[in-house]
Amino acid sequence: MELVRNAYDADAATCHIELSSAVEPGGTLVVSDDGDGMTSAQLASGFLLIGKSGKISTSHTPHGRRKVGEKGLGRLAALRLGTQVTVCSRSVEDPGVEHVLAIDWNKVDESEAVEDVPLVIDSTPSHKGPGTDVTITGLRQGLQEKDAERLARSLLLLTGPFPDESAFRVTCDAPEFTSLQQLINRPLLEWFEYRLVARLDDTGKVTASLFNWRNEEQFRGEHDQVARKRSGRGKKADPVLAFEAPSATFEMWMFNLNPGASKEVRHSSQDTKSLRGWLRQVGGIHLYHRGLRVQPYGDVGNDWLGINLRRAASPEVRPSTNNSLGRIQVDDPENLLKPKTDRSGFLDNVAFLELQEFAKCALDWAAEQRMDEREQRRVGASAKARDRVQEAETKFQNLLNAISPKDADMLPLDQGDPAVLAHLTESATEVFSTLHDENRALREDLLLYRSLATVGTSTAVFAHEALKPAKRIINEIKTVSRRLTGRIAPEDYTRYFRDSVDTSLDSAKTLETFAKLPLSLLEKSKRSVADIEVDVACQAVVQLFSRYLQERAIEVDFDLDAPGVVVRTTIADIESILSNLIANSAHAFTRQDALPGRRVIRIKTKQDSRNGKSGIVIDVDDSGPGIRGLSLSAIWLPGKTTRDNGTGLGLTIVRDIVADLKGIQEAKSNGDLGGAHITIWLPARQGVES
């Protein structure tokens, strides 16, 4: 590493490492670079003097790099790795000449004084370009596979495995260490699936772009969209006015390590095994201050931006240190970032914490864009696929009917018109293709609803078991009340016991109601497709929630104006839509920003035609504080919630049911009652006379 740092300090563009017979002692190491090289005088006065380094006089190279090598002693230790060393250097100041120095460490060790061994620099003509070659033979120790992996990581992270045109690159020729060669030589960064680029300017404003694997910008966010500090799970404050941090650029490459689940053909040629091994060495977010990597940020086990924790809390489309690589580059001309006294990173001052917040906001924004993109693809996909399947099957059946032999004299199909055969093949292919699309869409839905099914069945089991103790508690309270009234004076019962008995009895009945609620929602009969009268279903759902609403002093106003209008679906679908909307409204009244006053939920229905199709509109309003902290598009995404203990799946379920029924859902932050306003339109018809 010290020899490679010297190449970097010599303004080299490339440095090449060769290892041969290095598994056991006695091997050879060659480090070559195309840097500025050294003159004979520089080789004698700088390179050979122990403890002397050009970095003492200047901290930057002629091309502006911050020097990273040690002060002479590190270079000496590197040269002592073997028994013999040959240094060949060609300087840009002395073109056409190569200066060669050979050191036999055995002779040095055998001498009584160092000066007894003459060190001679030979200068000879050369046609090679500028640079330095250091050859160390007779390595004193062998290199093991784990050592090679550590070396590869250190080399990769010296300036970073990033695609910069002017970057310092290291290549390796080490046949005995295939992992070292692959990690250093293979351009694996090109296999990214998404790339995030966020920039923080010198005024504290941020912009971000998300690119797909073709390097096409799919999403772009301005400061007010990206710069939103989070105050808790799913809670966003107003946009940050300006980050109090030095200007910076944050780049992140995200990879798909499960290519079997991808629809992209390019993943079929991805070397996932090598990619995993590479990311184990370099994965994570690294910090580069004035071009130099700062440890420990991005070291193994150092997740300084908490991306693994964020992924654990919300795993959907979020990166981790195992499947992504990133860097933050900071110039910091005003020295706002203050190094710790032990040089292990920076102090947690305002500038550093704001730099972290900038990166976290960018990651949250990127995750939201990817989630929205994925959900847009998924919503209604199964319904659309089913329509295509029906159309393809109808076309195929019509074709079969048209070409079916009408009498015995007709030729067999395989001897008929080639155009007919081609048409038949095309139709059959379309049927199978559309069936495949439908199955794929259904599998995506299955991933979401399998977890919900587990929750539902577990809830049903516990609800069923909770009914028994709830009934026993009610009976015991009634027994206690009856015995008390028979043994004490009525005025004493009223004074000392009645309020407590009544409160306990109401609480037990509420518990019983809550136990019955999930059992009612999960009844098998409610999953049968039928013509569901929406007005009747609205009243039935509210009745199920009546005690829950009474406990919270919530009134429900009905404005049902669609008598006899039916939707072809299941009772469970309508109940799921309404119960999730009612639960959201009820929660809104408990928020800190909710104003005191009457708590009202209004459910309104009316007939309404859209795009030439008759239907029904279901409006749910409340008098709560409205939709805040999430955009109106984000509220429908899974995992998006303003509740600390919420799942963020309620409105996603509503959206998916509406999509399956070929309906439309809309939301307003504030409706007529002041709170959230949700509108559901479903295709419907007049099915029952009022």
Side-chain angles (χ1 to χ4, degrees):
M1 279 303 299
E2 178 57 26
L3 295 175
V4 174
R5 289 192 181 100
N6 282 346
Y8 178 80
D9 291 343
D11 280 326
T14 60
C15 177
H16 183 66
I17 298 173
E18 293 182 44
L19 282 167
S20 57
S21 303
V23 175
E24 301 293 338
T28 300
L29 165 67
V30 180
V31 179
S32 306
D33 69 63
D34 59 358
D36 291 343
M38 292 175 284
T39 64
S40 177
Q42 290 170 334
L43 189 58
S45 64
F47 195 81
L48 285 181
L49 292 185
I50 297 174
K52 184 171 182 181
S53 171
K55 303 166 191 65
I56 296 175
S57 58
T58 175
S59 61
H60 288 76
T61 69
H63 291 176
R65 288 180 180 171
R66 178 176 287 272
K67 295 182 179 180
V68 298
E70 300 294 338
K71 294 178 172 58
L73 290 174
R75 177 170 57 247
L76 175 63
L79 298 178
R80 290 280 293 179
L81 288 173
T83 58
Q84 293 183 332
V85 176
T86 301
V87 182
C88 303
S89 192
R90 301 163 299 280
S91 174
V92 294
E93 300 176 14
D94 193 9
V97 179
E98 182 174 70
H99 308 289
V100 181
L101 164 69
I103 304 174
D104 187 337
W105 290 112
N106 289 331
K107 291 183 179 180
V108 174
D109 293 339
E110 292 169 358
S111 64
E112 294 184 4
V114 174
E115 56 268 23
D116 292 342
V117 181
L119 298 177
V120 179
I121 299 174
D122 293 325
S123 299
T124 59
S126 174
H127 297 291
K128 295 181 180 179
T132 300
D133 307 321
V134 178
T135 302
I136 303 175
T137 57
L139 292 176
R140 302 175 192 275
Q141 293 182 341
L143 195 67
Q144 303 303 312
E145 191 68 29
K146 289 185 178 179
D147 301 323
E149 289 184 1
R150 284 196 294 269
L151 173 60
R153 188 173 198 276
S154 298
L155 291 171
L156 284 168
L157 295 179
L158 178 62
T159 57
F162 304 106
D164 296 315
E165 294 180 0
S166 60
F168 173 67
R169 312 309 299 168
V170 179
T171 58
C172 181
D173 181 8
E176 297 170 294
F177 304 101
T178 55
S179 62
L180 177 64
Q181 285 196 138
Q182 289 178 349
L183 287 172
I184 294 177
N185 296 338
R186 292 198 62 184
L188 295 171
L189 199 65
E190 67 186 25
W191 291 104
F192 71 88
E193 185 177 28
Y194 287 93
R195 181 169 68 97
L196 167 66
V197 179
R199 291 184 172 86
L200 179 64
D201 65 22
D202 53 10
T203 67
K205 300 294 184 179
V206 59
T207 57
S209 297
L210 189 63
F211 299 86
N212 62 20
W213 64 271
R214 297 185 181 88
N215 256 332
E216 301 166 339
E217 185 182 55
Q218 284 193 270
F219 304 98
R220 180 174 178 81
E222 300 301 326
H223 183 81
D224 60 342
Q225 299 168 304
V226 182
R228 292 179 176 271
K229 285 189 177 180
R230 292 188 177 272
S231 56
R233 181 171 180 240
K235 296 180 180 178
K236 285 186 178 180
D238 293 332
V240 180
L241 294 178
F243 288 102
E244 298 179 24
S247 59
T249 299
F250 175 29
E251 295 175 274
M252 188 178 206
W253 290 261
M254 294 164 266
F255 300 86
N256 181 356
L257 298 183
N258 184 24
S262 173
K263 303 182 183 70
E264 298 290 354
V265 177
R266 68 189 288 262
H267 283 125
S268 61
S269 57
Q270 173 180 296
D271 187 351
T272 304
K273 182 178 179 181
S274 296
L275 191 56
R276 287 182 186 275
W278 182 69
L279 286 171
R280 275 197 299 271
Q281 301 301 323
V282 302
I285 310 297
H286 309 284
L287 178 60
Y288 290 84
H289 189 245
R290 296 169 182 164
L292 181 63
R293 180 173 175 264
V294 182
Q295 291 181 299
Y297 308 115
D299 284 351
V300 175
N302 184 274
D303 182 17
W304 65 293
L305 291 181
I307 63 175
N308 290 337
L309 182 63
R310 286 171 161 333
R311 179 179 172 86
S314 179
E316 300 286 352
V317 301
R318 279 193 175 274
S320 71
T321 56
N322 295 322
N323 64 13
S324 64
L325 167 65
R327 64 176 171 181
I328 298 177
Q329 296 174 289
V330 186
D331 287 331
D332 191 23
E334 298 180 4
N335 296 314
L336 298 178
L337 300 179
K338 305 298 182 183
K340 294 181 180 179
T341 54
D342 61 359
R343 314 301 291 180
S344 62
F346 295 106
L347 295 172
D348 289 342
N349 61 7
V350 172
F352 182 73
L353 294 176
E354 286 282 271
L355 183 68
Q356 284 184 296
E357 188 64 29
F358 148 67
K360 291 176 181 179
C361 286
L363 286 170
D364 287 342
W365 173 83
E368 188 169 302
Q369 306 316 304
R370 290 185 61 187
M371 175 70 77
D372 186 56
E373 178 193 37
R374 195 197 71 172
E375 289 302 303
Q376 290 298 329
R377 289 198 308 262
R378 191 179 71 81
V379 173
S382 57
K384 295 174 184 176
R386 283 197 298 271
D387 290 344
R388 289 181 58 217
V389 168
Q390 291 176 357
E391 293 175 5
E393 287 178 341
T394 300
K395 288 170 60 178
F396 187 59
Q397 187 61 52
N398 291 338
L399 179 61
L400 286 178
N401 293 336
I403 65 176
S404 295
K406 301 298 187 294
D407 55 58
D409 295 331
M410 290 188 67
L411 289 173
L413 187 60
D414 60 356
Q415 299 179 28
D417 187 347
V420 173
L421 289 175
H423 192 191
L424 177 63
T425 302
E426 181 183 344
S427 298
T429 302
E430 185 178 359
V431 170
F432 289 117
S433 175
T434 52
L435 283 171
H436 175 73
D437 290 344
E438 181 184 25
N439 288 335
R440 186 169 58 192
L442 291 173
R443 281 197 301 271
E444 291 183 358
D445 283 347
L446 179 64
L447 295 176
L448 174 62
Y449 288 102
R450 182 176 289 161
S451 59
L452 292 175
T454 302
V455 173
T457 53
S458 301
T459 301
V461 170
F462 290 123
H464 189 272
E465 293 301 316
L467 274 177
K468 298 175 184 177
K471 290 180 179 178
R472 284 200 299 270
I473 292 171
I474 292 172
N475 290 334
E476 290 298 324
I477 293 173
K478 290 180 178 178
T479 299
V480 169
S481 176
R482 187 169 57 254
R483 290 177 179 176
L484 283 172
T485 54
R487 286 172 172 76
I488 63 175
E491 57 273 16
D492 290 338
Y493 175 82
T494 301
R495 182 177 180 182
Y496 297 110
F497 298 103
R498 188 176 66 183
D499 288 346
S500 296
V501 169
D502 290 347
T503 300
S504 299
L505 189 59
D506 286 341
S507 298
K509 289 180 178 178
T510 299
L511 179 63
E512 183 183 37
T513 300
F514 287 171
K516 289 179 178 178
L517 179 58
L519 293 175
S520 175
L521 293 174
L522 291 169
E523 287 177 6
K524 183 179 180 180
S525 61
K526 293 184 176 181
R527 298 195 294 275
S528 299
V529 177
D531 288 336
I532 308 302
E533 188 174 358
V534 177
D535 282 6
V536 174
C538 289
Q539 293 172 315
V541 171
V542 172
Q543 183 60 36
L544 284 175
F545 280 84
S546 58
R547 182 165 288 276
Y548 171 83
L549 298 169
Q550 290 171 10
E551 286 271 324
R552 287 155 179 76
I554 298 173
E555 303 173 29
V556 177
D557 288 347
F558 288 108
D559 185 4
L560 306 178
D561 192 26
V565 176
V566 299
V567 174
R568 187 68 178 173
T569 183
T570 66
I571 296 176
D573 279 348
I574 302 300
E575 284 186 345
S576 293
I577 292 173
L578 290 170
S579 60
N580 278 298
L581 296 181
I582 290 172
N584 277 0
S585 292
H587 166 72
F589 295 124
T590 66
R591 283 166 36 186
Q592 293 182 349
D593 55 350
L595 297 174
R598 187 167 169 243
R599 297 179 170 185
V600 180
I601 299 175
R602 183 181 65 192
I603 300 175
K604 182 178 180 180
T605 64
K606 66 177 181 179
Q607 290 180 274
D608 181 53
S609 296
R610 296 194 180 187
N611 299 323
K613 295 182 179 179
S614 61
I616 185 172
V617 168
I618 307 170
D619 285 318
V620 178
D621 285 270
D622 63 62
S623 59
I627 299 173
R628 297 184 184 177
L630 287 175
S631 66
L632 294 180
S633 60
I635 65 172
W636 307 102
L637 299 177
K640 295 296 182 180
T641 178
T642 57
R643 301 169 62 176
D644 290 335
N645 59 349
T647 64
L649 294 175
L651 289 180
T652 302
I653 294 170
V654 172
R655 181 203 62 188
D656 287 355
I657 292 173
V658 172
D660 282 342
L661 297 177
K662 300 180 181 179
I664 301 169
Q665 77 280 343
E666 298 170 347
K668 293 181 181 179
S669 299
N670 302 95
D672 295 339
L673 298 182
H677 177 101
I678 305 294
T679 297
I680 305 295
W681 179 87
L682 299 174
R685 61 182 176 81
Q686 187 72 40
V688 181
E689 294 297 329
S690 58

